[in-house]
Amino acid sequence: MKTYYKLFILFLSVFCGFSCSDDDDKTRADITLNMEAVSSFFVNDTIILDSQQLQAEALTINWEKATDLGADFSIDYIFRLDIANNEFETSTDPEIINDEFKKSYTTEELNDLLLERWLVFPGDVAELEARVVAKVEGPKFFYPEIGTCFIKVQSFPLPSEPLYLVGTATAAGMNPAEAIRMEEVSNGLYYTWKGNLTQGDFKFISNRESMLPSLNKGKDNQTLVERKTESDPDTWFTIEADEPEGIYAINLYRKDMTIDFQYVPFENVYLIGNGSDAEWDASQALEFQWNQRTPNIFTLQATLKEGEIKILTARDFGSYTFKPLEANGSIQNSTCQGENGGEDLKWVINEDEAGDYLITLNTVIPSIEFTKID
């Protein structure tokens, strides 16, 4: 009996030894990295960004070194920054920072993140959350040490920097005084315009008094270059003779010096049919929504019921029409066609398909998606 008792005690001690060892490893889950935010722009507890000091270091986040686990282990410090209490779903890209145990931002960098990434209204105060995860790699598992830090930051509005469209492809011609002002969606950063262009050239100027300075065509139709003097190359964007005249949508990103312009064959599209609330009254046809960034894609959220539908490009049954490839088309099929006249084809909504839908029409491919909303 004494022998069995000793074996039992030995087994129990070994078992407890392993269990306690595992628990010791897991206690690292409770260890946090100390972090602090440092800035010369603090006013009380808020960093007030200064538009006159764009390149100044506005924020530095420091953290301590994680527990040294020996030569067999390596530690990566993974840094992220996001709006506070957002579960880091819109955070900056993860950065591995292993040398200095800190991350710094200039005024311009921090303000751009606030306005462009997190859509903070200019001048508002936002609370940010920084996080560092000390991830361990080695022959044995250890929980990472984690540190978080909260910082209040007040953004500032960027100054307006108007841009104007000019050139032989526009109604302004070569007269800068008649140049067409673009919509400045985000001051100095993002501009849009939708209007008529003909065969010819165009570029962008900063005022209606001179052709300089200007934003001209860069290496291709997607890039911009600034022209400051008469000696700089005067390259223009061109609507070629074999390209369509009509409505174009322009998106211009001044910070990235990129541009996108596309021909827009249809300014509007409308849903009609007794499978919708419009019935067959063209004046009540349901108008799709249009997005400047995706000018040839239209969306509509609508209730569909048992019946038939098609899509017009004007509140007129004689307009160019989008429809299925065959009679009694299924809304499960994404293929479609567009034409003037032709056979009067329609999509059919069956009784068991009725409900709320998001309808997405690409007028260029063309294609259509009916996505049921639960």
Side-chain angles (χ1 to χ4, degrees), residues 132-146:
V132 172
V133 176
K135 182 181 178 183
V136 179
E137 294 288 347
K140 190 176 182 180
F141 173 77
F142 284 94
Y143 281 102
E145 296 178 27
I146 299 175

Side-chain angles (χ1 to χ4, degrees), residues 238-292:
T238 301
I239 305 298
E240 304 287 355
D242 59 348
E243 293 180 300
E245 296 184 330
I247 301 298
Y248 279 78
I250 297 177
N251 292 282
L252 188 150
Y253 306 89
R254 191 167 195 160
K255 184 177 180 65
D256 298 332
M257 294 295 278
T258 59
I259 183 174
D260 172 71
F261 60 96
Q262 297 182 45
Y263 174 64
V264 182
F266 309 103
E267 288 193 78
N268 304 99
V269 295
Y270 305 88
L271 185 74
I272 192 74
N274 61 3
S276 73
D277 291 341
E279 296 293 333
W280 290 110
D281 183 352
S283 67
Q284 299 301 311
L286 306 179
E287 184 175 355
F288 280 66
Q289 298 300 305
W290 181 83
N291 188 323
Q292 176 80 31

Side-chain angles (χ1 to χ4, degrees), residues 322-337:
F322 288 94
K323 49 194 175 182
L325 300 181
E326 58 186 8
N328 302 320
S330 170
I331 61 172
Q332 307 303 321
N333 193 333
S334 63
T335 58
C336 66
Q337 61 179 322

Side-chain angles (χ1 to χ4, degrees), residues 244-374:
E245 296 184 330
I247 301 298
Y248 279 78
I250 297 177
N251 292 282
L252 188 150
Y253 306 89
R254 191 167 195 160
K255 184 177 180 65
D256 298 332
M257 294 295 278
T258 59
I259 183 174
D260 172 71
F261 60 96
Q262 297 182 45
Y263 174 64
V264 182
F266 309 103
E267 288 193 78
N268 304 99
V269 295
Y270 305 88
L271 185 74
I272 192 74
N274 61 3
S276 73
D277 291 341
E279 296 293 333
W280 290 110
D281 183 352
S283 67
Q284 299 301 311
L286 306 179
E287 184 175 355
F288 280 66
Q289 298 300 305
W290 181 83
N291 188 323
Q292 176 80 31
R293 294 176 189 259
T294 54
N296 292 309
I297 296 177
F298 295 81
T299 60
L300 173 68
Q301 187 171 324
T303 299
L304 300 183
K305 55 189 178 180
E306 185 179 6
E308 298 176 322
I309 56 170
K310 60 182 178 179
I311 297 173
L312 309 176
T313 53
R315 287 193 170 100
D316 179 351
F317 284 109
S319 66
Y320 190 95
T321 302
F322 288 94
K323 49 194 175 182
L325 300 181
E326 58 186 8
N328 302 320
S330 170
I331 61 172
Q332 307 303 321
N333 193 333
S334 63
T335 58
C336 66
Q337 61 179 322
E339 63 177 352
N340 279 311
E343 189 175 355
D344 189 19
L345 305 175
K346 307 176 188 70
W347 285 281
V348 171
I349 294 91
N350 299 317
E351 182 179 4
D352 61 346
E353 294 175 318
D356 294 331
Y357 283 82
L358 175 66
I359 307 170
T360 304
L361 174 69
N362 187 318
T363 60
V364 172
I365 295 180
S367 65
I368 192 166
E369 294 287 345
F370 294 87
T371 304
K372 197 165 189 178
I373 303 171
D374 295 330

Side-chain angles (χ1 to χ4, degrees), residues 89-189:
E89 292 183 359
T90 60
S91 76
T92 56
D93 293 336
E95 290 184 73
I96 297 177
I97 305 174
N98 291 341
D99 297 328
E100 299 182 304
F101 307 107
K102 69 178 183 179
K103 172 65 179 179
S104 297
Y105 293 93
T106 66
T107 298
E108 184 176 30
E109 289 170 337
L110 200 52
N111 202 64
D112 285 352
L113 284 171
L114 290 168
L115 301 188
E116 298 176 43
R117 189 179 194 93
W118 299 312
L119 305 180
V120 174
F121 191 80
D124 280 1
V125 174
E127 186 173 27
L128 305 181
E129 182 177 4
R131 183 179 71 184
V132 172
V133 176
K135 182 181 178 183
V136 179
E137 294 288 347
K140 190 176 182 180
F141 173 77
F142 284 94
Y143 281 102
E145 296 178 27
I146 299 175
T148 57
C149 180
F150 293 85
I151 315 104
K152 291 181 180 178
V153 184
Q154 184 178 34
S155 62
F156 60 84
L158 297 173
S160 175
E161 296 184 44
L163 274 181
Y164 302 88
L165 183 62
V166 71
T168 58
T170 76
M174 298 299 290
N175 183 1
E178 299 295 326
I180 303 164
R181 183 161 183 164
M182 300 185 69
E183 181 181 357
E184 193 173 5
V185 179
S186 180
N187 282 3
L189 298 174

